[in-house]
Amino acid sequence: MADDLNDTYTYPFDMPSEEAVKFSDGAIAGKPAGVPSSYAEGGSTRWTPEAISEVHALAQLGRYQVRGYNTFNKRMPTFDDLTFVPATMTRLPLEGYRESCDTTTVLGGGRGLVEKPVELKIPIYIASMSFGALSANAKASLGYGASKVGTMTCTGEGGMLEEEREASQTLLYQMSPARYRIDLDHIRRADALEIVVGQGAKPGTGGLLLGMKVSERISEMRTLPVGVDQRSTIRHPDFLGADDLAVKVEELRIATNYQVPIFLKMGATRPRYDVAIAAKAGVDVVVVDGAEGGTGASPELLLNHTGIPTMSSIRAAREALDECGMTGKVSLVAAGGIRSGVDAAKCLALGADAVMIGNGAMIALGCNSPRYYEDFARLGTAPGACHHCHTGLCPVGIATQDPELEARMDPHAGAERIARYLTAMTMEITALAKACGKSSVHNLEVEDLRAMSFEASAFTGVKMAGIDRAFDW
Ligand code: SF4
């Protein structure tokens, strides 16, 4: 009986197989023998098998479904809808195997207000994923792995984990509206601060950590009861609009003695306006998290039906910074659905100064890897299809607080995988940048891209392949 949020209705992966509904005379349930197979497969374009399965789930549970991971909205354009157009005659490529391409990335130094802008060796860092959503071993792995290649990781909401601080050479400390464990000592031990006003997976809604993951340690860090679902607030108690936000930013600058930059992370909804407001309020870095961004737990309807694609949010954010004279003063970080260095390079070309990766880093750690088949089966899923981070029963020890499961995640082995993944991604970015004739990855530009679909061109303003004109409204 499904009666609490930890029960999982494994839509859409538990559709009955044909064998399960076949009658002894060979007919398929609902289909008289001898009719075309399209009848059995469902002819309605509205009541598809997935739509029917979803209604069954709602009727079974009596509430919306909750799950982890990211959107299953198949109609969202992907970075594969964009292609690079390397240098040929009009431009000169760099020698890919001989010439170098700079990847140094500085975030938050543009206003000249802080003593220690974030300086990274690569234009990629690890996204904000909380201790709570992830195990301590997974958090430490991310910290060690990121440090190995000279980049940053982020605490996520819920406070600073000592293992992560120790592992991370550069640590971004996140302050969520729920104010979990906001600690002045932690603020002063951070290399940068991040105010969160939303996330791409579920903009307009606060974090969700189901009771199964609220261990004694999490409970102590967040000063909330053990085993009880934690539904974070989304509205900051300290500010309602731009003027209050400016005061908050100044307060944080004073608290850190103007040493470290202030980031602001938002879910991508109206980036053209939201980014301009954040920049005007005085933050040093704006992080725009597109609708493809992941999460440990969310109402599924928000994952699938809110937010705008990462690719369109980057263009809108860049144009907003250009229009209000903040390019060069405020850095722009893009996130949401970035799988590879190729995706990351496209984000840089669209206008991002850096990218942040979450799901990709988890997969590099071993999420959905082909092991522990029986444990995946117990969750009603299989390696490659798992989206059960919300249950706390992660078979590979990443999204869990269960000590036995967590022990499957070796922080040092995980760190090696993260370091190799980030190194490989960076090689992919530089390979593309050199092919486009750039001596720095930050010289990638929109002109280096062409759109392979009308949607991608319309969403981004990138010229269509071949005809060299953007989709014209
Ligand atoms: S393997 Fe673990 S981290 Fe990956 S989707 Fe499943 S529960 Fe989440």
Side-chain angles (χ1 to χ4, degrees):
M1 179 69 188
D3 62 1
D4 75 38
L5 290 180
N6 289 320
D7 285 321
T8 307
Y9 191 97
T10 54
Y11 161 79
F13 298 107
D14 60 352
M15 295 295 295
S17 67
E18 276 207 354
E19 285 306 313
V21 291
K22 206 178 263 184
F23 296 124
S24 57
D25 66 356
I28 306 295
K31 173 203 150 192
V35 303
S37 63
S38 62
Y39 183 92
E41 286 159 8
S44 172
T45 53
R46 175 154 298 270
W47 291 105
T48 58
E50 287 83 5
I52 291 168
S53 175
E54 187 166 2
V55 173
H56 286 162
L58 296 177
Q60 180 185 345
L61 300 172
R63 56 162 171 78
Y64 52 68
Q65 297 192 77
V66 169
R67 66 168 176 82
Y69 224 49
N70 56 14
T71 183
F72 291 166
N73 183 349
K74 296 190 183 84
R75 295 190 60 208
M76 200 164 297
T78 76
F79 289 111
D80 298 338
D81 291 307
L82 298 173
T83 188
F84 277 97
V85 282
T88 45
M89 295 293 286
T90 52
R91 296 172 170 213
L92 277 180
L94 259 62
E95 287 294 348
Y97 304 115
R98 291 175 186 78
E99 293 183 275
S100 65
C101 178
D102 188 21
T103 59
T104 307
T105 301
V106 179
L107 300 174
R111 291 183 191 270
L113 288 177
V114 295
E115 291 287 323
K116 299 175 189 163
V118 165
E119 189 164 332
L120 309 175
K121 289 193 177 148
I122 62 175
I124 315 162
Y125 68 86
I126 305 294
S128 41
M129 296 182 279
S130 74
F131 169 53
L134 302 194
S135 65
N137 281 358
K139 291 291 281 172
S141 302
L142 295 171
Y144 285 124
S147 301
K148 247 178 127 69
V149 294
T151 192
M152 178 169 73
T153 188
C154 177
T155 60
E157 75 170 343
M160 185 183 282
L161 187 72
E162 286 306 324
E163 291 94 314
E164 189 178 29
R165 176 62 281 187
E166 190 188 316
S168 307
Q169 99 183 4
T170 309
L171 183 61
L172 175 60
Y173 180 68
Q174 194 179 70
M175 291 176 297
S176 75
R179 285 182 171 163
Y180 292 137
R181 195 60 186 269
I182 300 296
D183 180 317
L184 189 56
D185 176 52
H186 289 170
I187 286 175
R188 289 180 175 156
R189 289 169 64 205
D191 301 294
L193 306 178
E194 181 169 87
I195 300 167
V196 191
V197 298
Q199 68 179 97
K202 47 185 174 187
T205 313
L208 178 58
L209 188 66
L210 299 185
M212 278 176 82
K213 293 171 89 171
V214 184
S215 64
E216 292 212 358
R217 191 173 181 199
I218 302 282
S219 141
E220 194 266 320
M221 281 181 72
R222 301 192 184 201
T223 55
L224 286 167
V226 176
V228 174
D229 294 350
Q230 295 183 2
R231 294 158 200 271
S232 308
T233 55
I234 183 64
R235 281 216 311 268
H236 270 271
D238 302 344
F239 57 87
L240 294 173
D243 293 346
D244 303 339
L245 176 58
V247 173
K248 184 75 193 168
V249 169
E250 191 57 25
E251 198 179 289
L252 293 173
R253 291 204 192 285
I254 292 166
T256 53
N257 198 22
Y258 287 77
Q259 295 293 299
V260 302
I262 315 290
F263 288 48
L264 182 139
K265 178 187 167 189
M266 61 177 67
T269 55
R270 299 178 187 83
R272 184 174 289 278
Y273 310 106
D274 297 332
V275 167
I277 290 171
K280 285 286 191 184
V283 302
D284 301 302
V285 182
V286 179
V287 182
V288 180
D289 190 16
E292 301 95 311
T295 181
S298 170
E300 186 175 46
L301 63 123
L302 299 177
L303 283 167
N304 287 345
H305 302 289
T306 61
I308 67 169
T310 302
M311 67 165 71
S312 54
S313 71
I314 301 170
R315 290 300 299 144
R318 173 50 61 202
E319 286 176 14
L321 292 174
D322 288 347
E323 283 164 13
C324 62
M326 289 290 170
T327 291
K329 292 184 181 158
V330 175
S331 310
L332 175 65
V333 176
I338 296 163
R339 304 159 294 181
S340 62
V342 177
D343 290 351
K346 290 174 182 175
C347 292
L348 299 182
L350 287 169
D353 295 306
V355 301
M356 173 178 95
I357 54 163
N359 267 146
M362 286 168 62
I363 294 168
L365 281 182
C367 157
N368 265 304
S369 60
R371 299 174 288 163
Y372 309 114
Y373 288 93
E374 287 179 6
D375 291 338
F376 277 110
R378 266 192 281 278
L379 286 171
T381 187
C386 183
H387 50 283
H388 295 62
C389 313
H390 60 295
T391 64
L393 299 173
C394 173
V396 295
I398 297 170
T400 184
Q401 299 304 322
D402 178 298
E404 277 183 32
L405 293 173
E406 180 177 0
R408 295 176 179 178
M409 177 74 256
D410 175 349
H412 294 285
E416 291 299 324
R417 289 197 291 272
I418 289 294
R420 286 194 293 266
Y421 177 51
L422 290 169
T423 301
M425 283 182 77
T426 305
M427 284 178 76
E428 289 180 331
I429 300 172
T430 54
L432 286 164
K434 286 190 256 185
C436 292
K438 317 292 183 183
S439 56
S440 161
V441 295
H442 299 292
N443 293 342
L444 283 165
E445 56 185 326
V446 179
E447 176 53 30
D448 295 318
L449 293 173
R450 290 295 181 272
M452 307 288 275
S453 69
F454 285 116
E455 283 88 353
S457 180
F459 278 134
T460 59
V462 170
K463 292 174 185 170
M464 288 291 300
I467 63 168
D468 276 359
R469 284 195 303 275
F471 178 83
D472 190 356
W473 295 101

